[in-house]
Amino acid sequence: MMISEQTQTENQSQAAKWRCCLQIGDLTLGFTAAEMNVHLDPDHQSFAIPAQNCEIEIDLEWVDSLLPADSKKLFDSGAVWTLYEDGEHYVFDFTTRVLGPRPYKRLLIDRDFTRARVLFVRDCFPDKANVRALEYPLDELIVTNRLARGRGVEVHGCGITDDACSSSLFVGHSGAGKSTTTRLWQSVPGVRILSDDRIIVRKRDDRFFMHGTPWHGDAGFASPREAPINQIFILEHGERNDVVAMPQAAAAAELFARCFLPFHDPQALTATLAYLDDLTRTVACYKFQFLPNHSAVEKILEFQRPR
């Protein structure tokens, strides 16, 4: 009888857990919460996958309070998060002026970025029936740092592919024209847009692929799809449309300047540089100076046609 009651209690406990799995850039992330009602943002819903054991596992928990971290500070984002080092773990503290100097949320994660806990201060979340546990930038921090272990890279870019299997990655700083480029290509028949702001690049079977992400820009494109990269264009505004081939070393440097990088981690930076070196030796890169009208699309279509 006692064994039966224990089994029933365990089953009820399991049923009470909220579980969600996502696949972003070919990385799988599993989120588990007990005693929390978690809300999955619309931007994440298309990235959801069936429940499974994931490469990155994150437990979500309530706590009554959090004191500011007293360990070594590694990086201050200047926004809502600050990074600390605490033994074998990293600590990301999230604060806001509205709630004062104490963290309202904390991410504790191992150095490989595979096992994590996220602690939420109960009183800072009045709507406990609708907690946005995956609220940006927490999810992106986990993914970006995991990729930086030699597994890939996230870039400021838009990914465009079409029925002719010509897939182009357009990379640019903020304001360089990624959203404009996306809107221009939107009307072209057969074109699919992976993202208008952030693209993950990963290598599989000696070929590089670009992946859409949930973190879109003004144009609002966020697709879970992937496509092989046939060419890379570095976006710049210009007085005319012009495509110029880039030397490999220069292309790698330009891409490095447009990556999401863990500046606190020298080994991760070295791994990212090596990854970009491999990418630019494999995929042709061009500087694309363009006009913000449909003639820019025509220029790329003409450039892609067999000669």
Side-chain angles (χ1 to χ4, degrees):
M1 183 69 176
M2 290 179 63
I3 295 176
S4 177
E5 289 174 354
Q6 181 181 358
T7 302
Q8 183 179 1
T9 301
E10 289 175 350
N11 289 339
Q12 289 172 347
S13 176
Q14 285 293 105
K17 287 188 175 181
W18 178 88
R19 174 73 173 173
C20 173
C21 296
L22 305 177
Q23 183 165 314
I24 302 173
D26 236 8
L27 292 176
T28 56
L29 299 88
F31 297 85
T32 303
E35 301 179 357
M36 288 183 69
N37 295 313
V38 181
H39 170 67
L40 193 63
D41 291 344
D43 291 337
H44 289 99
Q45 289 175 4
S46 61
F47 292 82
I49 57 174
Q52 59 185 266
N53 293 326
C54 293
E55 179 176 348
I56 306 169
E57 289 286 348
I58 305 105
D59 290 324
L60 313 174
E61 307 170 24
W62 285 121
V63 293
D64 291 329
S65 64
L66 289 169
L67 294 174
D70 59 359
S71 49
K72 180 182 177 182
K73 183 188 291 187
L74 295 179
F75 188 77
D76 188 338
S77 70
V80 298
W81 63 271
T82 304
L83 171 62
Y84 301 87
E85 184 179 43
D86 186 11
E88 295 302 312
H89 293 82
Y90 290 120
V91 179
F92 291 81
D93 272 358
F94 296 79
T95 59
T96 173
R97 291 181 181 179
V98 176
L99 298 174
R102 290 191 176 191
Y104 66 89
K105 180 170 64 179
R106 173 172 289 163
L107 166 65
L108 300 143
I109 194 162
D110 65 1
R111 290 181 176 272
D112 287 332
F113 283 81
T114 59
R115 296 294 180 269
R117 296 168 63 205
V118 185
L119 310 179
F120 300 84
V121 177
R122 198 182 304 269
D123 290 345
C124 295
F125 296 85
D127 186 5
K128 293 179 177 57
N130 196 28
V131 178
R132 296 177 59 200
L134 279 60
E135 181 181 24
Y136 177 88
L138 183 142
D139 53 348
E140 187 179 35
L141 285 172
I142 295 172
V143 169
T144 300
N145 280 276
R146 178 61 179 164
L147 290 172
R149 272 68 192 158
R151 290 170 170 79
V153 65
E154 181 186 353
V155 298
H156 292 273
C158 57
I160 296 171
T161 183
D162 60 32
D163 290 336
C165 297
S166 179
S167 301
S168 299
L169 173 59
F170 296 86
V171 181
H173 290 300
S174 179
K178 297 186 297 296
S179 292
T180 299
T181 297
T182 303
R183 292 189 181 100
L184 291 173
W185 281 89
Q186 185 181 3
S187 61
V188 178
V191 160
R192 292 178 295 278
I193 299 167
L194 302 182
S195 174
D196 64 321
D197 193 58
R198 286 163 166 82
I199 288 287
I200 288 173
V201 177
R202 300 202 68 186
K203 190 177 186 180
R204 186 172 70 243
D205 298 330
D206 296 324
R207 192 170 188 184
F208 284 94
F209 289 78
M210 56 183 179
H211 303 257
T213 71
W215 315 302
H216 58 76
D218 294 338
F221 288 93
S223 169
R225 293 186 177 186
E226 65 173 50
I229 305 174
N230 296 125
Q231 55 268 318
I232 299 172
F233 297 99
I234 307 296
L235 289 172
E236 291 184 0
H237 292 290
E239 297 182 356
R240 61 191 180 93
N241 298 309
D242 195 20
V243 178
V244 179
M246 298 187 68
Q248 183 268 328
E254 293 288 352
L255 287 175
F256 185 80
R258 293 160 176 82
C259 286
F260 291 81
L261 299 166
F263 291 104
H264 64 277
D265 190 335
Q267 290 184 338
L269 292 176
T270 299
T272 300
L273 282 168
Y275 204 89
L276 293 175
D277 181 73
D278 187 16
L279 172 62
T280 52
R281 290 183 188 278
T282 305
V283 181
C285 299
Y286 306 89
K287 182 174 292 185
F288 181 36
Q289 295 181 325
F290 75 102
L291 295 170
N293 57 46
H294 199 71
S295 66
V297 175
E298 293 297 332
K299 180 68 176 181
I300 295 299
L301 291 174
E302 178 185 352
F303 178 79
Q304 291 175 343
R305 290 188 188 109
R307 290 172 173 79

